[in-house]
Amino acid sequence: MERCERHLITKKAPHLVERIQAFTESSATVELAAIRLGCDAAHIAKSLSFLLKKPMSKTEAKAHQKMVREVLAQQQQDGSGAAGGDRTSASPTTTTTAPDDANVVVIVAAGDAKVSAKKYKEKFACQPKMLRREEVEPYTGFPPGGVCPFGLNDDVRVYLDVSLKRFPYVYPAAGTTNTGIRVTVDELEQYASNVVEWVDLCEGWQPEEGAAPADGSSSRSSTIGVVQDAGIAAKRVENEVSKAEEAV
């Protein structure tokens, strides 16, 4: 929490420090945070940490594969390779990314949103790979369950997902597993660390196509339509009865 506070003070936003809430129990998940803060789970601004690796060029990939083959050959020569000289356990073609080019991105999204693998790949040209639990704190500066958009490590890039724009206020963590802070979407964008841009990377939060609005207007329209159809049918029956009586 202190790291978050220092960041906000540095950004000349002491009024946000006053909004930080600390709890005696955990708020490390979306569901727990919503209970502690007394809001809907969708209003929780969760910070998702991903390891982004830049793909190798063809030249780099060939050089890397050559190096791996040389290492394997040396291991076999030294008697430290795989049993029986089996090289399948460490195939030189399995590595396609350069660890030195790895970097971390944090996507801040609404609590009911899920990162779309398709959208992520289109944006970053690689499959989504979240940080392992033991990597979270050294890479981001915050512990798992407490990752906060305020005060992240300098080399972490932050992307804000449009799923948050539905709400006047959202609630990110404040740097620990038992804190939260209420901010407007504009304040989130203004004071978060290393913000790159707003993105559309999530799914599952939009109303399904053709779904009835929350105010029930669609169902009311359907009911009106049914009543109108029934009235027309009744009128037709009445006309047919009248014609039959005239014929008699």
Side-chain angles (χ1 to χ4, degrees):
M1 188 169 71
E2 292 180 359
R3 185 183 179 110
C4 173
E5 291 176 340
R6 287 197 303 270
H7 172 81
L8 293 174
I9 291 172
T10 301
K11 288 284 189 176
K12 299 181 179 180
H15 58 290
L16 295 186
V17 175
E18 297 175 0
R19 296 189 205 163
I20 295 176
Q21 299 182 54
F23 313 106
T24 56
E25 297 179 273
S26 174
S27 58
T29 67
V30 169
E31 292 75 16
L32 290 175
I35 292 172
R36 306 288 177 257
L37 291 158
C39 67
D40 189 86
H43 293 237
I44 300 300
K46 57 185 178 183
S47 297
L48 306 172
S49 309
F50 292 86
L51 184 62
L52 190 64
K53 291 188 176 182
K54 179 182 176 181
M56 288 182 178
S57 67
K58 290 183 178 179
T59 301
E60 291 172 331
K62 288 181 179 179
H64 179 73
Q65 291 171 6
K66 180 181 178 182
M67 179 192 69
V68 172
R69 285 194 295 268
E70 290 174 350
V71 170
L72 288 174
Q74 185 63 45
Q75 287 178 342
Q76 290 178 346
Q77 184 177 348
D78 295 341
S80 58
D86 183 6
R87 297 171 60 175
T88 59
S89 60
S91 172
T93 61
T94 56
T95 302
T96 58
T97 56
D100 291 342
D101 291 332
N103 56 83
V104 176
V105 298
V106 167
I107 299 171
V108 186
D112 61 346
K114 178 182 178 182
V115 172
S116 164
K118 179 181 178 181
K119 292 181 178 181
Y120 185 100
K121 188 174 181 180
E122 289 174 352
K123 176 67 178 177
F124 299 114
C126 64
Q127 293 291 346
K129 177 180 174 59
M130 295 195 73
L131 294 181
R132 295 193 297 268
R133 186 175 182 84
E134 62 271 18
E135 295 174 332
V136 173
E137 188 161 8
Y139 280 37
T140 68
F142 295 111
V147 177
C148 170
F150 308 113
L152 288 159
N153 289 342
D154 291 339
D155 56 350
V156 176
R157 290 179 291 163
V158 175
Y159 294 85
L160 306 177
D161 190 77
V162 295
S163 58
L164 294 166
K165 288 190 172 184
R166 294 172 287 166
F167 311 118
Y169 288 95
V170 293
Y171 299 83
T176 67
T177 58
N178 65 331
T179 55
I181 178 174
R182 180 175 67 97
V183 296
T184 66
V185 172
D186 289 340
E187 289 170 337
L188 177 64
E189 180 179 10
Q190 181 177 357
Y191 298 114
S193 303
N194 318 319
V195 173
V196 178
E197 60 184 345
W198 283 95
V199 290
D200 180 6
L201 293 177
C202 293
E203 60 187 6
W205 61 272
Q206 305 97 327
E208 293 184 9
E209 187 175 351
D215 62 1
S217 58
S218 177
S219 60
R220 288 199 297 270
S221 298
S222 298
T223 302
I224 292 171
V226 170
V227 172
Q228 289 176 336
D229 291 343
I232 293 172
K235 188 67 175 177
R236 286 176 179 171
V237 171
E238 183 180 340
N239 291 338
E240 290 176 359
V241 170
S242 297
K243 289 179 180 179
E245 290 176 346
E246 290 175 359
V248 173

